[in-house]
Amino acid sequence: QVQLVESGGGLVQAGGSLRLSCVASGSTFSPVVMGWHRQSPGKQRELVANMGSDGSTNYADSVKGRFTISRDNAKNTVYLQMNNLKPEDTAVYYCRQLQRSSRGNLYDYWGQGTQVTVSS
């Protein structure tokens, strides 16, 4: 069973930085997409950033230029460096990983989330 465990969330003042980490264990297949989503109260979960197996990246417009996604394959870890944080970045951040089996089936895994709170 694949497990994704996030860490690095917390309380920070506006303009500050945080780095989130997501460690994957029990992976059966190679990930095709790794990413971060977030959800704030009363809003739908939204994509923040993701990275394909080829290293290509995709960011929400609201975080471009402030957030950076990266990975360390040796550690089975994906990171989200968040700079110049704003109060509107306050949310629970979830790690997500899509894996594809040798038969082409896709498996979708989520972490349990880590809270990020940005005070003004």
Side-chain angles (χ1 to χ4, degrees):
Q1 182 68 22
V2 174
Q3 283 193 318
L4 303 178
V5 179
E6 303 101 333
S7 62
L11 174 64
V12 65
Q13 288 188 333
S17 298
L18 286 173
R19 188 176 82 154
L20 305 183
S21 300
C22 173
V23 180
S25 61
S27 295
T28 303
F29 307 112
S30 297
V32 293
V33 179
M34 298 159 286
W36 293 91
H37 295 244
R38 67 185 181 188
Q39 187 169 21
S40 52
K43 294 187 178 180
Q44 289 188 332
R45 193 173 296 188
E46 62 176 359
L47 172 70
V48 177
N50 60 23
M51 175 179 283
S53 56
D54 62 355
S56 59
T57 57
N58 181 42
Y59 294 91
D61 288 341
S62 59
V63 307
K64 284 180 180 176
R66 300 188 298 121
F67 291 10
T68 303
I69 188 170
S70 62
R71 68 186 181 197
D72 184 333
N73 291 334
K75 295 181 179 180
N76 292 326
T77 301
V78 62
Y79 303 98
L80 185 67
Q81 178 66 43
M82 305 185 294
N83 298 328
N84 190 21
L85 282 159
K86 303 176 180 180
E88 51 264 41
D89 294 319
T90 295
V92 178
Y93 284 70
Y94 298 90
C95 178
R96 183 187 188 188
Q97 188 175 108
L98 281 170
Q99 295 186 0
R100 180 179 285 124
S101 72
S102 56
R103 294 187 176 184
N105 297 320
L106 281 176
Y107 296 88
D108 192 1
Y109 299 103
W110 291 84
Q112 294 199 339
T114 184
Q115 176 70 47
V116 171
T117 303
V118 184
S119 62
S120 57

